[in-house]
Amino acid sequence: MDGNGRWARGRFMPRIWGHKRGADSVREVVKCAASMGVKVLSLFAFSDENWGRPQDEVSALMGLFDQYLQFETDQLLKQNIRLRFMGNIDRLPEKTRSLLLGAAQKLSACDGMTLNLAVSYGARAEITEAVRAIARNVREGIIDPEHVCESMVAGGLASAGMPDLDLVIRTSGEQRLSNFMLWQSSYAELYFTKVLWPDFGKAAFKAALEEFSTRQRRFGLVSVEPALGVSSSLGRMGEEPSGKTPC
Ligand code: IPE
Ligand code: MG
């Protein structure tokens, strides 16, 4: 969710104004995704790197999270949306952390869409933590190093139990992943739009899904060409790769 600052600057307003309008986009996109049957929506709300922003901006962002969690939890409950989060939440202010934990708890029985908030999140830190846990188990003799496999790493990530990403949307014209769910986006379709996040509403989200639906996903395999009878020990297009190292 990028471009809040530029959106505000373009209107000669303070950056925080852009973040406030960005929160409106979050509300709209969450509602739209849930109503369209999206199973998991992950939002990169605050990165590990964002802690380096000026203190007043960080505090204002934390204040906005607090407001969102305080006032949206009941709405999320009504929409049967479950809340999960990823990231180093120990760095969050006490109030924000407890609101986040409280909201996740309150919504834990919901079985509609999962809203996965990445807060104080960085993919490298997440992968490092998973590797550290595996290393501990190796040291204890619980795991043979030769048996360390991809599923084990995936299971140690904060996203454990959630599917890999199908589509990554980046707003504001930037074309990079910026340390977002690097493991989980291995086979994701990437969608870049110039629209700034505060302008990214229902219509823009639907346009992204529309474009996604036209993508051919091969997962490193080949398209099946029935006319030539090429079928496939290689697997069919559209299936997840099955070549993951078994555990
Ligand atoms: C993204 O918008 C919002 C957060 C990081 C929370 P930015 O604040 O990065 O907006 P730009 O990139 O300065 O326009
Ligand atoms: Mg930015």
Side-chain angles (χ1 to χ4, degrees):
M1 301 185 288
D2 203 4
N4 295 351
R6 275 163 284 171
W7 186 92
R9 201 172 56 213
R11 288 161 180 76
F12 306 101
M13 299 295 280
R15 292 176 58 81
I16 187 62
W17 189 253
H19 294 314
K20 279 195 185 124
R21 289 296 299 264
D24 295 337
S25 295
V26 169
R27 238 170 259 123
E28 189 172 323
V29 168
V30 166
K31 196 169 169 197
C32 179
S35 72
M36 290 181 77
V38 169
K39 295 274 183 290
V40 184
L41 179 71
S42 295
L43 296 178
F44 202 178
F46 193 85
S47 72
D48 265 349
E49 292 76 20
N50 289 152
W51 289 113
R53 292 191 176 198
Q55 191 49 51
D56 58 344
E57 182 170 343
V58 171
S59 304
L61 281 166
M62 294 300 146
L64 280 177
F65 293 149
D66 294 352
Q67 275 180 30
Y68 183 82
L69 294 165
Q70 270 169 325
F71 300 116
E72 289 302 312
T73 303
D74 286 342
Q75 280 303 318
L76 296 175
L77 191 62
K78 274 192 203 134
Q79 295 170 76
N80 193 24
I81 295 175
R82 184 176 172 208
L83 183 70
R84 281 184 62 163
F85 53 83
M86 314 189 294
N88 181 5
I89 65 162
D90 290 343
R91 286 185 80 178
L92 297 175
E94 178 53 39
K95 184 179 176 194
T96 310
R97 189 170 63 240
S98 70
L99 282 168
L100 188 58
L101 291 168
Q105 172 60 31
K106 193 167 177 183
L107 301 170
S108 59
C110 294
D111 58 3
M113 186 177 83
T114 296
L115 173 61
N116 178 36
L117 292 182
V119 197
S120 186
Y121 172 82
R124 286 183 173 181
E126 179 193 31
I127 295 168
T128 305
E129 185 51 45
V131 170
R132 196 177 291 126
I134 292 170
R136 272 192 223 108
N137 284 335
V138 168
R139 186 184 59 199
E140 303 300 322
I142 299 166
I143 302 172
D144 178 339
E146 298 311 316
H147 292 154
V148 172
C149 58
E150 292 184 11
S151 325
M152 233 176 245
V153 178
L157 301 176
S159 60
M162 289 189 268
D164 279 348
L165 301 183
D166 288 312
L167 171 65
V168 174
I169 299 172
R170 172 120 192 198
T171 57
S172 86
E174 308 297 352
Q175 298 190 20
R176 49 180 178 265
L177 290 177
S178 299
N179 207 13
F180 181 65
M181 300 187 82
L182 298 180
W183 178 281
Q184 303 89 332
S185 63
S186 294
Y187 282 94
E189 295 297 321
L190 307 180
Y191 179 85
F192 300 109
T193 170
K194 290 203 166 96
V195 176
L196 303 174
W197 177 252
D199 289 327
F200 192 90
K202 210 162 133 176
F205 184 65
K206 283 186 172 170
L209 294 192
E210 190 78 20
E211 151 88 34
F212 172 72
S213 72
T214 67
R215 303 273 181 100
Q216 259 209 349
R217 306 185 77 199
R218 288 188 294 275
F219 298 104
L221 307 178
V222 292
S223 308
V224 180
E225 294 176 56
L228 298 171
V230 181
S231 85
S232 64
S233 52
L234 290 171
R236 275 191 300 127
M237 204 187 86
E239 284 177 352
E240 293 281 344
S242 58
K244 287 182 179 164
T245 41
C247 275

